[in-house]
Each structure stands twice: as C-alpha cells, then as structure tokens.
Amino acid sequence: MNKRLAGLLIPITTPFDAQTGEVAPVALRSNARALLEAGVDGVLAAGSTGEAALLSEDEYRHVIAWLRDVVPDDRWLLAGAGRESTRATIAA
C-alpha cells in the first residue's frame, strides 16, 4: 500500500478461548470484519491493548497472519512491535 497513514485506526484486542486459553482465531477474524464493516480504515493488532505481553512469538505471528487474511489491501493492518525489553522490541 503506497498511501499516507491516516484515517480511523482501531486497536483490536486478541480474544482467547475460555476453555483452552488459546488465541481464538474465529473470534479474532469476526471482530476485525465487524470493525471493517463499520468503516474503520485499519486495525492495530498485538499492540498495547493489554494482551500483547501474553502472546508467544508464534501466537503473535499467527494473529497477524489470521488478520492479513481478513483485512483487505486497501485498509491498514498495523502490527504492534512493542515488547517487554528494548532488545526484544528491536528484534520484533
């Protein structure tokens, strides 16, 4: 996407399955679709909305991939890169 970062960008929380504690991809995609249908210009995943520190690196990559399947190319998908340390943030 070659356009200026602008518009209504919403942080999206990562839902977890109440029974297993695993990330719930169906609920995640459903939430993203609802936000996009409501007219947002993009979503920010795995940011400082509270759950980013709880995701393993594997879960983080899955969350971004699952959302990439839902967020169309003309909308923004921003991936949080903040981690618990400066070194980990730079690596992300």
Side-chain angles (χ1 to χ4, degrees):
M1 180 185 310
N2 285 332
K3 71 176 191 176
R4 185 178 171 98
L5 183 61
L8 184 59
L9 307 170
I10 302 294
I12 187 169
T13 58
T14 305
F16 294 88
D17 183 279
Q19 301 299 317
T20 66
E22 299 293 319
V23 175
V26 173
L28 176 68
R29 288 183 182 127
S30 177
N31 292 347
R33 283 188 192 101
L35 290 169
L36 294 165
E37 288 170 8
V40 303
D41 296 294
V43 295
L44 168 63
S48 60
T49 52
E51 83 290 340
L54 304 176
L55 298 175
S56 70
E57 287 301 315
D58 235 13
E59 289 171 323
Y60 170 82
R61 284 189 289 276
H62 285 340
V63 164
I64 302 307
W66 290 325
L67 288 172
R68 182 72 277 164
D69 289 340
V70 174
V71 178
D73 289 341
D74 65 337
R75 307 279 184 96
W76 292 100
L77 172 56
L78 303 175
R83 298 293 187 273
E84 296 301 309
S85 72
T86 302
R87 285 188 182 110
T89 299
I90 290 169

